[in-house]
Each structure stands twice: as C-alpha cells, then as structure tokens.
C-alpha cells in the first residue's frame, strides 16, 4: 500500500504567473477511475495550500475496497458489481469479501459465520446503559453512545497496531451492531430484550431480536429476511463518504476502533447522509398526496427555500444510484409478500420519482433517486419505525467502516489527518482592556 508502480511518469506543470516559476506535480494512476495529482510536496514547494471545501475534487487516500463510477452508475466491492452481489451473495459473504479482499471458500465462510455469531451477545453490563436513556430517545443517540462505550469493555482488543486485536474488534463490532440496534428498538417500546440466537443467519437474527417476545415462538418471514440481507449488502460500503471519512480521520489519531465507529455513526445520522432515509419518509408524509407533488417540486427548485427533495441527488452518482435500482425491485417484492396493495406513500414516491426525472431542473443538476429513496418505504412496510431507519443503515455500514479503518491502519503512508485552511479572519490586533472598550 502507498507505493505506486508509476511506469510512465506523467505530471501536471503548475506555473506561478507572478514569479514564472513552474512546479511538476506527478500524476498517479489507479486500477481504474480518475488519476490523482500528487500534491504532497505542494505546500513545501509553493507555500500554498489547495482549497476544496467538501473535498469535491480531493482524493484523501488510496483504497482497494470499493470503486464507484458516478457517471456510469457503477459500484463494485473488491471488483464485484453490486447488483451481482445483491442477486447471488449474502451479507456475511460480502462482509468477508470487504474485510479480507476475496470471496470466501466454503469452509472459510462457515468459520467466519461461526465467529461472528459467537460475538453477537452484549456484556450484561452493557445492557444497563440502555436504561439510562429516556424511552423516547432517538435510537441513533442510543446506538452512538453504546458503541462508544464498548471501548470500556474490551481492553483485550484495543491495541490498534496488533492485527489480531484489530480483527477481534472488527468481528465484535460487526456482530454486536444488530443486537445493539434491536435492543434500542425494544427499549423504545418497553418490551424485554431478546437475546441473539446462534442458529439464525445474520439478517434473520436481527429481525428475530426486533420482533420476537418471550411469550411465544416467533419465526422470521424468509422473504423479509432475504430482503433485509439484500438491503444490508447494498449499504455495506461506499468509498470515502462522509461517515467513512469520519472513521478514517478519527482512526488516524490512533483512537480505538469502538470510538471511531461511534464517530462514524454520528456522522451518518445527518439528513444529508444516512439520515436521509428517515427524512424521505417524513417528506412523503408531509407531501401527503400525489396532488401536492408539484408544490414540493417547486420548493425543491426554489433557491430561497432550504427544502431539498430527500432521497434525491448524490455527490458522486450523476446518472443513477445502482443501489436504488435494486432497492426499487426489492420494494415491490416486500410489498407483494406483505400483500400491501395500496401503500399511499409508495404511490407518492413512484409519482414523485417520475415527475422529478422529467423536470428540467433535476435533469440539468443530475439529481436521481439515491439509495435512501426506497429503503424507507421497505422498512415501513416491514413495520420498522422511521426512527430506526438510519440505525439499520449503520448496522450495514459497520463492515465498510471497519474494513476501511483496517486498510488505513495497515497503509504504511498513513499519518494523522490534519487539513489546513484559508484564513480570512482579523489580522493581529492589540488587546484593549475592558475599561477602555
Ligand atoms: C447518502 O457520499 C456517499 O456515498 C453517501 C451515501 C453512502 O452510501 O454513504 O451514498 C449515502 O448519503 C446518499 C445521499 C442521501 N442524502 C439525501 O438524499 C439528501 C438530499 N440530497 C442532497 O442533500 C444532496 O444531493 C447531497 C448532499 C446528497 C449531495 O450534495 P452535493 O453533492 O454537495 O451537491 P450540492 O448540494 O452541491 O447540489 C448540487 C446542486 C445544488 O444546486 P446549485 O447550488 O448548484 O444551484 O443540486 C441541488 C443543490 O441545491 N440539489 C438539490 C438536491 N440535491 C442537490 N436540489 C433539490 N433537492 C435535492 N435533493
């Protein structure tokens, strides 16, 4: 990692038109996708920083995990297209692929699933953390707090320079997220906590912990378990998005993995990011009827109105989000399985999608439905409360976060992330005592 096999040295020449001095900036080629201009020596050579708020043109790291082509609507995990994984794989296999780089052999997959299933229980004292929250606490607040608190329990796996420690911590996080999410839900509705079962698959186990009670047998609907498994696959990783970049930045200081993932959860919570699925449902409910769609399309186009069409647009996808395509199909499968004939919010969503995609504003700005547009409708059909939608996104994205965190730690060129700035504040000023102000 970090050493680039740069056969033909290509470069960009930067010329200072005041001094006429030129600087050659080497270009680095990846396997595919845009090349990068290596500016690591720029400041020492030119005494200038680059300026790129939001990092729209900035590569923050080298990675071998996920590749996205926004124009072509391509998303690949370790080279495998997302639609083929969603169709043919399962979430545990995709977790193995993201963490270790290749699809597992049969025995490797069995051992991995056995390991993960044996880490799904929480320390009994962790369960007491939930009772410190109000019953109406947002589940993301609970999950963010409890995950960070795990670092108080696992002193045997926080030496981030020990690969064994890193992998045990990664397995614990991957395994415990569904349990933490389900407990946050049970706590919010005042029902007793349901322990994970080692005989159930990952997604099935999560739905079991969410819906079972101690009073009777509960069997998870296999169609819903498959749908949940596919949703987890689609949300598992997504290159250097806001929450993954948060995890990498936190990890670059040497913070323990539980604290880093808690930071990622906090970043994902925002409505511009993972919180969008919850925001989509709120928006569809606010629209309320197909007849009011034009009113909200206008609001979304109005520069003076902060309203945005939740579930539309993406920093990278300027054509279509391949995950939304798979989710649209999954949405209809779930609604058919549940016999949901007329889901008014789905009618509004389908109409909204059609109207938006025909509107010149959305066409010009390349705003298409993203991964969050359909997931909320599926979750609602499955009886999952809106406040839990982003928690499920966090459950899925944990494997991507830990895979990217491990890759960062193992990268010999990695150092603490410390961006600079363009300072436009006051120049030096003399202090004026209070008596003289
Ligand atoms: C996720 O990064 C990832 O990979 C994220 C994610 C992942 O898997 O990790 O894919 C998950 O976060 C998906 C995105 C979920 N967010 C939403 O659905 C919220 C609604 N979308 C917007 O907030 C917005 O589209 C973003 C935040 C997703 C992207 O914003 P950008 O890339 O910074 O684009 P922008 O805000 O500069 O918008 C470009 C233009 C602007 O107009 P102008 O200033 O150029 O005139 O498009 C407009 C925006 O006003 N615009 C929208 C819009 N999204 C962008 N106008 C109306 N409705 C929208 N949804």
């Amino acid at each position: 990692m970090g050493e680039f096999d740069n056969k033909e040295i290509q470069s960009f020449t930067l010329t200072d038109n005041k001094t006429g001095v030129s600087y050659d900036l080497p270009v680095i080629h990846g396997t595919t996708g845009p090349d990068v201009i290596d500016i690591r020596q720029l400041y020492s050579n030119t005494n200038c920083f680059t300026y790129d708020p939001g990092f729209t043109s900035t590569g923050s790291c080298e990675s071998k995990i996920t590749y996205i082509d926004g124009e072509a609507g391509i998303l690949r995990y370790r080279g495998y297209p997302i639609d083929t994984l969603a169709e043919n794989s399962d979430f545990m296999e995709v977790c193995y692929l993201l963490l270790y780089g290749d699809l597992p052999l049969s025995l490797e997959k069995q051992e991995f699933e056995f390991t993960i299933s044996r880490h799904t229980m929480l320390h009994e004292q962790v369960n007491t953390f939930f009772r410190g929250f109000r019953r109406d606490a947002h589940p993301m607040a609970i999950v963010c707090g409890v995950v960070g608190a795990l670092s108080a329990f696992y002193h045997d796996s926080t030496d981030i320079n020990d690969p064994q420690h890193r992998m045990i911590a990664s397995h614990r996080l991957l395994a415990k997220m569904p349990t933490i999410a389900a407990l946050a839900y049970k706590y919010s509705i005042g029902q007793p906590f349901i322990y994970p079962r080692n005989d159930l698959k990952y997604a099935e186990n999560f739905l079991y912990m969410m819906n079972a009670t101690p009073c009777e047998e509960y069997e998870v609907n296999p169609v819903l378990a498959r749908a949940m498994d596919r949703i987890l696959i689609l949300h598992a990783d997504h290159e250097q998005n806001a929450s993954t970049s948060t995890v990498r930045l936190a990890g670059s200081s040497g913070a323990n993995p539980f604290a880093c993932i808690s930071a990622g959860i906090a970043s994902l919570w925002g409505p511009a990011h993972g919180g969008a699925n919850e925001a989509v449902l709120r928006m569809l409910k606010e629209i309320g009827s197909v007849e009011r769609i034009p009113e909200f399309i206008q609001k979304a186009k109005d520069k003076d109105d902060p309203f945005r069409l939740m579930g539309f647009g993406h920093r990278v996808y300027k054509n279509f989000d391949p995950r939304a395509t798979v989710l649209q199909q999954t949405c209809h499968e779930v609604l058919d399985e549940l016999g949901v004939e007329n889901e008014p919010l789905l009618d509004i969503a389908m109409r909204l999608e059609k109207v938006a995609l025909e509107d010149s504003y959305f066409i010009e700005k390349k705003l298409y439905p993203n991964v969050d547009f359909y997931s909320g409708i599926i979750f609602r059909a499955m009886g999952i409360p809106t406040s839990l939608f982003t928690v499920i996104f966090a459950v899925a994205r944990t494997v991507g976060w830990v895979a990217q965190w491990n890759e960062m730690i193992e990268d010999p060129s990695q150092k603490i992330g410390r961006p600079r700035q363009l300072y436009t504040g006051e120049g030096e000023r003399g202090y004026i005592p209070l008596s003289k102000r």
Side-chain angles (χ1 to χ4, degrees):
M1 286 297 282
E3 291 314 309
F4 306 107
D5 177 13
N6 217 343
K7 294 184 185 63
E8 82 277 8
I9 299 292
Q10 184 193 347
S11 66
F12 274 67
T13 301
L14 185 68
T15 303
D16 180 342
N17 61 12
K18 276 193 290 189
T19 63
V21 176
S22 295
Y23 307 92
D24 279 342
L25 300 171
V27 171
I28 305 169
H29 308 289
T31 312
T32 180
D35 295 335
V36 297
I37 300 172
D38 185 348
I39 59 166
R40 284 175 287 185
Q41 303 309 319
L42 183 74
Y43 176 54
S44 57
N45 290 339
T46 68
N47 202 36
C48 287
F49 300 137
T50 58
Y51 184 63
D52 185 17
F55 312 119
T56 51
S57 301
T58 295
S60 61
C61 64
E62 177 198 352
S63 181
K64 301 178 187 297
I65 298 174
T66 293
Y67 174 68
I68 303 173
D69 178 331
E71 290 305 325
I74 288 173
L75 167 57
R76 299 182 193 136
Y77 293 160
R78 301 283 190 181
Y80 295 93
I82 190 66
D83 52 346
T84 56
L85 290 171
E87 187 59 36
N88 303 299
S89 186
D90 62 42
F91 184 61
M92 277 291 100
E93 183 172 80
V94 165
C95 288
Y96 186 98
L97 174 66
L98 289 169
L99 284 172
Y100 298 112
D102 289 305
L103 290 171
L105 302 176
S106 177
L107 184 57
E108 289 170 331
K109 186 179 179 195
Q110 283 172 31
E111 288 171 349
F112 182 69
E113 286 191 294
F114 181 88
T115 301
I116 295 302
S117 68
R118 269 52 182 187
H119 279 295
T120 48
M121 275 210 299
L122 290 175
H123 188 295
E124 278 298 303
Q125 284 176 239
V126 173
N127 294 348
T128 60
F129 280 125
F130 292 82
R131 288 175 173 71
F133 290 98
R134 286 175 38 153
R135 291 280 181 179
D136 62 352
H138 193 293
M140 281 296 277
I142 296 175
V143 172
C144 195
V146 171
V147 169
L150 291 180
S151 49
F153 286 81
Y154 297 115
H155 304 124
D156 66 337
S157 66
T158 49
D159 175 1
I160 60 163
N161 298 307
D162 179 334
Q164 267 300 61
H165 280 212
R166 289 203 302 275
M167 208 31 80
I168 293 170
S170 303
H171 291 163
R172 280 176 166 151
L173 282 158
L174 185 52
K176 296 178 192 310
M177 277 298 279
T179 311
I180 293 169
L183 265 57
Y185 171 60
K186 286 297 195 186
Y187 183 70
S188 72
I189 58 175
Q191 282 191 3
F193 292 162
I194 297 297
Y195 285 90
R197 282 175 41 183
N198 292 343
D199 61 321
L200 298 181
K201 297 282 186 191
Y202 193 89
E204 190 183 9
N205 208 359
F206 173 52
L207 292 176
Y208 172 77
M209 291 187 281
M210 285 272 294
N211 299 303
T213 68
C215 316
E216 60 187 18
E217 291 301 309
Y218 180 81
E219 199 167 318
V220 177
N221 178 325
V223 173
L224 301 190
R226 177 66 189 132
M228 180 57 77
D229 189 272
R230 189 180 296 161
I231 288 169
L232 296 175
I233 290 174
L234 294 171
H235 288 76
D237 192 49
H238 212 240
E239 199 208 68
Q240 305 311 319
N241 58 84
S243 53
T244 298
S245 299
T246 301
V247 171
R248 279 180 171 261
L249 196 55
S252 73
S253 74
N256 73 73
F258 304 101
C260 295
I261 300 307
S262 178
I265 294 168
S267 172
L268 186 76
W269 195 355
H273 189 14
N277 51 21
E278 181 178 339
V280 166
L281 253 289
R282 284 203 304 272
M283 175 187 73
L284 293 173
K285 288 175 184 170
E286 187 186 358
I287 293 173
S289 70
V290 172
E291 290 70 29
R292 290 192 66 201
I293 287 176
E295 172 194 337
F296 283 83
I297 293 280
Q298 273 318 108
K299 277 171 63 69
K301 291 156 65 171
D302 179 356
K303 278 281 148 252
D304 299 325
D305 189 328
F307 173 79
R308 286 196 167 177
L309 225 44
M310 291 289 109
F312 277 79
H314 198 278
R315 170 61 57 78
V316 176
Y317 292 124
K318 300 305 178 189
N319 191 331
F320 64 94
D321 183 335
R323 302 168 297 178
T325 309
V326 178
L327 274 177
Q328 187 187 46
Q329 173 202 334
T330 305
C331 188
H332 289 292
E333 285 170 12
V334 168
L335 294 176
D336 292 348
E337 171 63 20
L338 296 173
V340 178
E341 301 287 309
N342 61 332
E343 161 56 85
L345 294 183
L346 178 65
D347 298 340
I348 296 171
M350 301 297 284
R351 179 78 186 133
L352 179 64
E353 180 184 27
K354 186 175 183 318
V355 170
L357 294 183
E358 290 166 358
D359 185 289
S360 58
Y361 173 90
F362 291 88
I363 294 168
E364 281 155 28
K365 294 191 183 295
K366 300 186 174 184
L367 303 175
Y368 296 86
N370 58 43
V371 67
D372 293 294
F373 187 67
Y374 285 101
S375 56
I377 297 163
I378 298 173
F379 292 149
R380 173 183 154 87
M382 295 167 85
I384 293 169
T386 308
S387 63
L388 220 75
F389 290 1
T390 309
V391 170
I392 296 173
F393 195 153
V395 169
R397 187 52 60 87
T398 294
V399 65
W401 289 331
V402 293
Q404 299 265 358
W405 173 78
N406 278 292
E407 183 178 66
M408 176 205 64
I409 303 268
E410 288 156 13
D411 182 345
S413 68
Q414 88 89 14
K415 52 181 67 175
I416 189 167
R418 207 284 185 210
R420 301 304 300 272
Q421 63 177 14
L422 171 68
Y423 178 71
T424 56
E426 294 287 345
E428 184 174 356
R429 294 192 279 179
Y431 181 79
I432 302 168
L434 186 58
S435 58
K436 292 192 167 45
R437 279 178 229 161

